[in-house]
Each structure stands twice: as structure tokens, then as C-alpha cells.
Amino acid sequence: MHIMKPIAQALAASSATAVLLLATAANAQTVYTGDIIQGKQVISQLDVKDLEPGKKHHFFFQGVQMGSGQHWYLPVVVAKGAKPGKRILLISGVHGDELSPVDAVQRVMAQLDPAKMSGTVLAVYDVSRPAMEGTTRKWPAAQQGGTLIDLNRVWPGNEDGNSAPARHAGLVFNRLLKPNADYALDNHTAGTGGDFTAFIFAKMDQPEIRAMAELFPIEQIKNDPGYAGTLETALVKAGIPTLTTELGGPRSFDRRIVPMFVEGTLNVLKHHGVIEGSIGRTAAVADTFIGNAFSPVRATHGGFLELKVDLPDTVVPGQQVAIQRNSFGEIVAEYHSEVTGQVSWLHRDAMIEPGRLVMEILYYNPDPACEPEGCPSEAGDYIE
Ligand SMILES: [Zn+2]
């Protein structure tokens, strides 16, 4: 009997361990696939609680499989503070032609010393990895002879969905982003062919979101209810206050605008107590223009644009903002502002098709329908 007792205890202990392992597997835990890519461990699920404090950690997150059976992998960097605190998520690459966010997030991460931090900063790059590979906005999916999918219209995704991008979004949202964020910045620029000011879309009726937006020394903020399917909208619905930032134009690093967002992001980290230091320049210091509506100027003809204003010019009603010529050089259209506001977004490509946006002018619309959430932007323009 005296022999049996320790065995019984050992059995009880091992089954308790097994139960514990099963129970924790159902919760968010960091899952290592066992693969190493370019010296980085591959994970298929992350819980920053599992990581050693006071250090930076580098991983590849295993996204969806391609038709070849291989996976898309996303670079992930975690600065895990020595002390506990808020968890801030910095995202880039939801659109593959928007590059300044990569530079801005890398510059923020380079400034962090986890030994002096309270909380965690999670940087995720190349979220739409195949779009990044082509420097294109949309994810090229193989089905039906090839199709292009805007990853910023499918969030929160669906791990059991009927397309690879939807499944990818589901994996990234459920296993990487949502379980590890108290606040988030989803960083974008204008898409190819367009150009933006230093701009933020924010749900300004939500105090925690407003507080973050006003910490950026940028040019413009739009109070905006958000589009369905954007990462910002999905994260906010999950209870994570989030901004969509626009760091100017696509495809290159904007040396004027990136520093504004680095400073603003560091302000957000200070605001939430993750890093120490005094708050830098803010929207109040930068005299940021805040509006709640866009006045779209749309091409009525095909032809070539001569812009008469630039970013972020102030315009008044009736002011000519662009003229358009045909291939003979004849003027086919003149465009005017309908509002007093500031130019936010421009069509930089000289040629334009009818119906497309020449520009968006940010202004304040006193219509009660535009408060407190802001007037929705028209869907389908893909400016963000
Ligand atoms: Zn974008």
C-alpha cells in the first residue's frame, strides 16, 4: 500500500497536469510550430503573457496557406516591458502599397527599451503579405482565374471562410491581434494614384479614441464612423479603441510626415503609461484641422487633370480646384469646391476616368446627422 500511494498521487498529478494543459490550450496561449525561418521562431498563436519581460521578441506569425500548401508569414516584434501595463498594437501592411507605416512603426520600436517599459508594444508588419510582395493595395487570390481582394474590407475575417484572405484575416485577428491589444493604431497611407495629408480617421465620439487622436501633431483629423470590414471597425467592436492613420502618399517613405506619426505614437505610449517622458507635440500644438465630413469632388468626364490646389490647402465655396482637358488639349470640365474646408486627399495620377474622385475636401458639416459620429465617407472610393 505504501508503494501504491505515491503512484496514485503521481497519476492524479499527471492527469491534473493533462487537464490543466487542455484547459489552457483552449485559452489564448503562444503556440510554437517548431519551424524556424530566417532565424525567427514561427508561431501560430500569441499570448504576450507567455513572453519573458524586459526583452524584445521576434517571430514570424503563420498566416493562411496558399494553394501551394505553403503559408504566408507575418513579421511580429514584441517589446515586453519589465513591468505589467497596457498593451498597444501597431499595425502596418493591411494594404501592400502603403509603405510609410512600415518606417514609422520600425522607428517607434527602435526607440523602445523594454527594461524601462510598463506594458507591451506589439508591432505587426506585412499583414497583407501577398499585396506587400507586389506593392499593391489588394490581395491577389487565385480562385476563378485570379481576383483581387481588399483585406481592409474583410475584418474580423473568418477562419472557416470561403477565401484565403478571409481565413487569413480570421487567423490574424483571433490568434494575434485581438488577444494582445488594449489599444491599437492601424497605419495606412493613400492608395497608389492618390495622396493624403498627415491624417487620422477617428471615432471622436468615443473619449478614449479622441484622446489618442489628439496626441498626434498632424494636419487633419476626421470624425468618422468607419467602414464595415475595416480592421479599425472590427477592433473597436471587439472593445479595443483604435485609430486609422494616413501617413501621406503611397509607395515611398514620406520624410516629412513619418516623424509626425512617430512623435504621436510615442505620445500614445506615454499617455497609457507604457513609456516614461513628457508628452511631445500634439494636435493642439500643430493646429490640426478637425472636420466631420468629406465633400467629394468627382470627375464628370474622362481626361487629364490640372490641379489648382494642393494638400492641405484651405478652400472656399466656388473656388476652382481643378480643370480637365481632353487629348486635344480642350478644356472639358472645371471643378469647384462646394464648402469651406481643407483639401485632404488628391488624385495624383494625371489621367482620370469619369466618376472617380478628383479630391476629398474635409469640412465641418453642422447637419445633426453628422454628430456625434461624423458623416460616413462614401464607400467604394478606396482612398484609405
Ligand atoms: Zn490603406
Side-chain angles (χ1 to χ4, degrees):
M1 285 301 288
H2 70 280
I3 296 168
M4 289 298 290
K5 194 175 174 190
I7 292 170
Q9 280 174 342
L11 279 172
S14 74
S15 70
T17 305
V19 167
L20 182 68
L21 283 172
L22 282 173
T24 50
N27 298 322
Q29 291 286 301
T30 302
V31 177
Y32 294 86
T33 68
D35 296 325
I36 307 273
I37 297 177
Q38 294 177 335
K40 308 292 193 290
Q41 288 183 294
V42 177
I43 55 173
S44 58
Q45 187 159 295
L46 178 67
D47 186 338
V48 294
K49 274 204 306 288
D50 300 337
L51 305 180
E52 186 185 339
K55 278 183 64 178
K56 282 183 186 166
H57 304 265
H58 302 79
F59 304 108
F60 275 115
F61 176 83
Q62 180 175 282
V64 76
Q65 257 186 333
M66 296 170 276
S68 62
Q70 300 182 56
H71 292 263
W72 292 117
Y73 296 98
L74 314 187
V76 173
V77 181
V78 185
K80 171 100 182 259
K83 295 183 209 149
K86 299 284 193 243
R87 301 164 307 163
I88 317 294
L89 171 59
L90 308 179
I91 302 158
S92 71
V94 171
H95 292 131
D97 56 347
E98 304 180 359
L99 279 298
S100 282
V102 176
D103 191 43
V105 173
Q106 286 182 350
R107 284 171 186 276
V108 169
M109 296 306 288
Q111 292 192 37
L112 300 181
D113 179 358
K116 296 179 182 167
M117 284 170 47
S118 303
T120 299
V121 182
L122 169 63
V124 180
Y125 302 93
D126 306 350
V127 173
S128 185
R129 169 73 195 288
M132 290 290 292
E133 297 294 357
T135 322
T136 55
R137 176 182 181 86
K138 293 183 180 179
W139 175 304
Q143 67 252 34
Q144 296 164 332
T147 187
L148 296 169
I149 294 177
D150 187 336
L151 200 65
N152 214 26
R153 296 295 183 275
V154 306
W155 300 99
N158 179 355
E159 291 187 24
D160 301 316
N162 65 2
S163 78
R167 288 185 174 224
H168 181 78
L171 292 170
V172 171
F173 193 81
N174 297 332
R175 295 164 188 262
L176 180 63
L177 306 184
K178 191 175 88 168
N180 294 297
D182 297 309
Y183 301 92
L185 305 176
D186 186 25
N187 297 295
H188 289 251
T189 73
T192 296
D195 201 1
F196 240 125
T197 58
F199 187 98
I200 286 177
F201 289 102
K203 296 174 186 355
M204 296 289 273
D205 58 319
Q206 301 193 24
E208 288 197 297
I209 291 176
R210 181 181 194 121
M212 289 200 293
E214 291 180 344
L215 287 169
F216 285 79
I218 54 167
E219 292 169 320
Q220 298 169 348
I221 298 171
K222 182 177 185 289
N223 183 19
D224 191 272
Y227 297 115
T230 65
L231 182 50
E232 175 200 357
T233 296
L235 286 167
V236 170
K237 274 192 183 160
I240 300 165
T242 303
L243 306 176
T244 296
T245 68
E246 303 289 345
L247 284 67
R251 304 186 75 85
S252 60
F253 289 170
D254 190 315
R255 290 284 165 241
R256 185 180 72 86
I257 287 179
V258 164
M260 301 179 193
F261 283 90
V262 171
E263 187 165 8
T265 303
L266 292 171
N267 284 343
V268 168
L269 299 184
K270 291 168 187 169
H271 173 74
H272 290 302
V274 177
I275 60 173
E276 293 183 346
S278 52
I279 298 285
R281 294 175 304 148
T282 63
V285 174
D287 198 22
T288 304
F289 180 77
I290 301 176
N292 65 355
F294 276 145
S295 177
V297 177
R298 258 176 221 292
T300 54
H301 295 65
F304 303 91
L305 288 173
E306 180 181 342
L307 298 172
K308 295 295 190 181
V309 293
D310 210 329
L311 305 172
D313 286 355
T314 297
V315 295
V316 296
Q319 181 177 339
Q320 186 187 68
V321 292
I323 59 177
Q324 189 179 23
R325 294 184 177 85
N326 63 17
S327 296
F328 296 96
E330 299 159 348
I331 291 175
V332 293
E334 297 185 18
Y335 301 102
H336 300 87
S337 176
E338 293 180 349
V339 299
T340 297
Q342 282 191 3
V343 182
S344 283
W345 180 95
L346 282 177
H347 193 279
R348 283 285 184 212
D349 280 358
M351 182 184 271
I352 190 167
E353 294 171 322
R356 302 308 300 169
L357 280 173
V358 175
M359 66 187 65
E360 290 277 24
I361 299 168
L362 179 66
Y363 73 109
Y364 179 74
N365 186 339
D367 186 332
C370 290
E371 289 294 331
E373 290 191 318
C375 269
S377 309
E378 289 178 49
D381 287 322
Y382 304 113
I383 63 168
E384 92 304 348

